[in-house]
Amino acid sequence: MNQITLNASVRTEQGSKAAGRLRRAGKIPGVVKRMSGESTLIELDAHAYDMTMRSHHGDQLLVSIDLGGAKLSALLREVQHDVMTGKVSHVDFGEVDMSHTVRVEIAINLVGTPDGVKNANGVLEQELRAIHVDCLPSDIVESFDVDVSSLKVGDSLLASQLALGDKYHVTTHKDTVVAAVVAADEEIELPPVDDGAAPSVEPEVIGAKKDDAAAAAPAPAAKK
């Protein structure tokens, strides 16, 4: 993966009002969690950030942040978006040591047409979209291409069966199903759902008929 470099400046103001002023000025507020445990508040040019990141789609990416000539390596941990405009409103980074492994979540991209789909009218189902691995920061990729062409109807691919290479230690549970090929007419019976709706027939109230009958009976004649 090509190195991603982001230019940033240290910001001193914090709070929602200060962040709002930055966004109106075409900036993105952000924070870098340092290995020391401290946090550095930063700001990035929104247009430059969008242009740099538009071709990268991983959930956790390794970036080089240039803070006025001082560079640090960090993982892009979280990106927040404005609910109305969809624009990036805040970014969180975590500084990393390039010589130590980190745990990251990497997307899974299924490639190939399974044998069971091609020759037995099966259906490919992807059960897992991303997998957790431990690796060096320099070995982080945006996605893993996983070949499923050998799967037949009834076959499943488990996390323990992924051939990712010696650089990656899979931490997702080994029995987690990544993908499966099922028969096209196979139906999964779901349990009935109790939606909490009231029954269509109201339950009989004990004593109701007796009370109704008493109300309908003519009143006794008054004694003379």
Side-chain angles (χ1 to χ4, degrees):
M1 181 176 65
N2 295 330
Q3 186 178 41
I4 303 171
T5 301
L6 297 173
N7 294 314
S9 302
V10 176
R11 59 186 173 99
T12 56
E13 290 186 308
Q14 56 183 314
S16 58
K17 291 184 178 179
R21 287 194 295 269
L22 279 177
R23 296 184 187 107
R24 288 191 294 273
K27 305 289 185 180
I28 301 173
V31 61
V32 181
K33 182 66 177 294
R34 308 301 289 265
M35 289 186 293
S36 63
E38 299 178 350
S39 294
T40 300
L41 301 179
I42 63 172
E43 60 182 70
L44 306 99
D45 180 81
H47 178 70
Y49 177 89
D50 291 340
M51 294 297 291
T52 300
M53 303 300 291
R54 64 180 179 178
S55 59
H56 301 283
H57 307 290
D59 292 330
Q60 295 177 320
L61 300 173
L62 177 67
V63 301
S64 175
I65 301 177
D66 189 332
L67 281 172
K71 294 185 178 181
L72 60 91
S73 298
L75 283 179
L76 177 58
R77 292 292 191 183
E78 184 181 4
V79 180
Q80 299 176 20
H81 294 83
D82 185 280
V83 294
M84 300 297 293
T85 66
K87 294 180 179 180
V88 176
S89 60
H90 194 275
V91 285
D92 287 1
F93 300 91
E95 185 182 13
V96 295
D97 183 338
M98 296 297 289
S99 63
H100 288 73
T101 60
V102 292
R103 180 161 298 177
V104 292
E105 185 180 47
I106 298 179
I108 293 174
N109 178 40
L110 302 184
V111 297
T113 302
D115 178 83
V117 173
K118 185 164 47 178
N119 300 315
N121 198 33
V123 176
L124 174 64
E125 296 184 347
Q126 183 169 355
E127 306 293 342
L128 194 66
R129 301 288 173 178
I131 193 164
H132 290 91
V133 299
D134 289 345
C135 66
L136 290 173
S138 57
D139 292 327
I140 295 174
V141 293
E142 296 187 22
S143 64
F144 290 121
D145 287 339
V146 176
D147 185 8
V148 293
S149 58
S150 64
L151 294 182
K152 295 177 170 46
V153 172
D155 287 349
S156 296
L157 178 66
L158 305 180
S160 60
Q161 298 172 314
L162 293 176
L164 304 180
D166 297 335
K167 296 178 180 179
Y168 306 98
H169 172 67
V170 176
T171 58
T172 298
H173 193 281
K174 63 179 182 178
D175 293 331
T176 302
V177 176
V178 177
V181 176
V182 300
D185 57 353
E186 183 176 328
E187 295 183 358
I188 300 175
E189 184 176 349
L190 298 177
V193 178
D194 182 5
D195 58 5
S200 57
V201 179
E202 295 184 1
E204 179 181 347
V205 181
I206 298 176
K209 291 184 178 179
K210 182 177 179 180
D211 293 342
D212 293 345
K223 295 182 180 180
K224 294 181 180 181

